[in-house]
């Protein structure tokens, strides 16, 4: 007899904002708190500038330089896959379907709950233009302005990583 057991999907949450608004710092703080709470968390980061994770002199670098378009390296405690192609966000999320939570840095237009970083007044336009805004994370001199301008929106300060992590944790637990 075959059982249709429902598998719980990971909670996906985006941290978005303009450059140098504190996205990576907030994500790292929230990640540490969730990890300490026993949650398995994956991270997907968008890089608009290109990146290189491999370095001259390594075997995988030599493989890539020789023409490999896909490379996997595996050890007892780590797996890395490098591909010479862009991957879609849905594909990447699918690769992490066994985690409790997937934190995404960037991909502003994606349709997932998001915390928007607000450092200065010009950043507030994101709150009205992006899909699925769940809250704002504001630098100290912007907190009250955002609370007044966007009444009803959950607003955290940049020092409130613990509160933001608890909000995410509530959704993980479903």
């Amino acid at each position: 007899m075959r059982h249709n057991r429902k598998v719980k999907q990971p909670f996906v949450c985006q941290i978005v904002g303009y450059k140098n608004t504190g996205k990576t710092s907030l994500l790292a703080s929230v990640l540490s708190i969730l990890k300490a709470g026993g949650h398995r968390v994956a991270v997907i980061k968008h890089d608009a500038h290109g990146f290189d994770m491999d370095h001259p002199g390594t075997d995988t670098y030599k493989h890539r330089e020789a023409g490999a378009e896909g490379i996997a390296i595996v050890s007892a405690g780590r797996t890395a896959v490098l591909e010479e192609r862009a991957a879609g966000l849905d594909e990447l999320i699918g690769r992490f379907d066994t985690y409790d939570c997937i934190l995404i840095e960037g991909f502003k237009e994606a349709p997932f709950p998001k915390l928007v970083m607000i450092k200065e007044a010009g950043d507030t336009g994101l709150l009205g233009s992006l899909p699925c805004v769940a809250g704002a994370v504001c630098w100290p001199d912007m907190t009250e302005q955002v609370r007044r301008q966007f009444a009803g929106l959950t607003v955290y300060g940049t020092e409130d990583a613990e509160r933001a992590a608890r909000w995410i944790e509530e959704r993980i637990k479903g």
Side-chain angles (χ1 to χ4, degrees), residues 18-148:
Y18 294 123
K19 186 176 181 178
N20 295 322
T21 54
K23 298 180 301 290
T24 300
S25 295
L26 177 68
L27 191 144
S29 295
V30 166
L31 174 57
S32 293
I33 294 164
L34 294 173
K35 182 74 176 163
H39 300 288
R40 294 185 66 236
V41 182
V43 173
I44 299 170
K45 178 177 173 44
H46 181 259
D47 185 342
H49 308 290
F51 65 93
D52 199 355
M53 292 179 59
D54 212 355
H55 305 285
T58 63
D59 290 347
T60 53
Y61 183 88
K62 292 173 188 172
H63 299 152
R64 200 175 91 212
E65 287 295 303
E69 293 181 35
I71 299 167
I73 184 167
V74 181
S75 69
R78 180 172 291 158
T79 298
V81 176
L82 299 171
E83 295 180 298
E84 298 297 320
R85 67 177 185 91
L89 187 55
D90 288 340
E91 176 187 345
L92 295 170
I93 290 169
R95 290 183 183 188
F96 292 133
D97 66 350
T98 62
Y99 290 80
D100 299 323
C101 177
I102 301 170
L103 298 177
I104 300 173
E105 183 177 331
F107 294 93
K108 286 183 191 87
E109 298 297 329
F112 299 103
K114 56 184 58 72
L115 299 176
V116 180
M117 302 297 299
I118 304 295
K119 187 173 185 178
E120 53 194 38
D123 299 345
T124 61
L126 290 173
L127 296 173
S129 66
L130 294 178
C132 306
V133 172
V137 180
C138 300
W139 285 63
D141 51 342
M142 288 302 301
T143 304
E144 288 311 313
Q145 177 184 335
V146 170
R147 282 192 174 121
R148 280 192 310 273

